[in-house]
Amino acid sequence: MSLTIEEFDDYLENWRIEISRACGKNVSREKIFDALFMILGDKYSLEHPLDLWDIDIKFESGLKYLKEFDFTSFDHQFEIDLSFDRDMLFSTKAKFKAAGFVLHIHRYDQDPFPSNPHAHIVDQNIKIDLSNGNCYRSRTFIKTIKKKELLEIRKKAEALNIEVPHLNISS
């Protein structure tokens, strides 16, 4: 069973405190989160950092992984020209603003719940069903967005060549 968002948030803060103490400098929650994704991404076949919320991890296990991670790698930024076809990169993931939020849509998201594809409001751990506008946090229904907002999101997704599910709302 995966952690609740509150439990995971507590883990992040406590991991940040422990790792900052061990490193002798402040390590941000973002770096802790990014490090966990880098460490556990392959092990759990994660496609997006938010998929971390769907795994079952114990505090001690996460701390052990993080203590072995070299956080100085985040301090060294460099630029390199990679020959990736931009169309290929955006064909599987899209990020855009709609209805006042930054949304992420993953065409091949491992978890097809609540629709395939669906939108993520990353900083709120919310998934939006693109067929009907139902919103979920940890698979719990929280609300339905307005039809106008859903249509705006779908229009932006389609403009990015993302095939959205059949619309399933009443007029």
Side-chain angles (χ1 to χ4, degrees), residues 1-3 44 52-58:
M1 180 175 189
S2 58
L3 300 170
Y44 290 99
L52 283 168
W53 282 319
D54 295 330
I55 65 170
D56 186 21
I57 187 168
K58 304 287 183 229

Side-chain angles (χ1 to χ4, degrees), residues 4-168:
T4 67
I5 190 166
E6 292 81 14
E7 290 170 321
F8 191 79
D9 190 57
D10 287 344
Y11 277 18
L12 277 176
E13 181 59 20
N14 289 321
W15 284 326
R16 184 197 67 75
I17 291 167
E18 291 293 325
I19 297 303
S20 293
R21 186 177 301 134
C23 291
K25 65 178 184 175
N26 186 42
V27 177
S28 71
R29 289 168 58 104
E30 287 177 325
K31 288 180 181 176
I32 296 292
F33 195 78
D34 290 344
L36 278 175
F37 180 68
M38 292 168 71
I39 295 164
L40 300 176
D42 288 338
K43 180 177 181 174
Y44 290 99
S45 301
L46 305 177
E47 292 187 14
H48 187 273
L50 287 182
D51 293 338
L52 283 168
W53 282 319
D54 295 330
I55 65 170
D56 186 21
I57 187 168
K58 304 287 183 229
F59 179 81
E60 298 77 20
S61 300
L63 186 59
K64 180 180 179 285
Y65 289 129
L66 291 166
K67 283 186 173 179
E68 295 171 359
F69 186 81
D70 180 12
F71 282 90
T72 61
S73 63
F74 289 128
D75 298 333
H76 307 291
Q77 295 183 13
F78 58 90
E79 290 187 31
I80 186 168
D81 184 23
L82 295 176
S83 299
F84 281 112
D85 181 357
R86 284 255 184 242
D87 292 335
M88 185 268 310
L89 293 175
F90 288 112
S91 67
T92 59
K93 296 180 182 180
K95 176 181 172 182
F96 58 89
K97 281 190 172 186
F101 293 99
V102 176
L103 301 175
H104 293 256
I105 297 176
H106 308 275
R107 183 176 288 161
Y108 305 111
D109 199 325
Q110 274 186 299
D111 180 8
F113 178 82
S115 64
N116 191 13
H118 55 267
H120 293 263
I121 301 177
V122 177
D123 61 344
Q124 299 296 316
N125 190 26
I126 294 174
K127 292 181 179 182
I128 302 173
D129 185 324
L130 295 178
S131 69
N132 59 23
N134 288 346
C135 300
Y136 300 85
R137 180 177 287 128
S138 300
R139 295 187 178 258
T140 302
F141 173 80
I142 56 174
K143 74 171 282 176
T144 301
I145 62 173
K146 296 176 184 171
K147 181 179 178 180
K148 180 180 175 182
E149 294 171 330
L150 175 62
L151 294 175
E152 176 187 351
I153 293 167
R154 289 172 58 92
K155 182 179 176 181
K156 288 188 178 198
E158 288 171 333
L160 295 169
N161 295 320
I162 293 176
E163 188 175 327
V164 294
H166 177 73
L167 192 59
N168 187 20

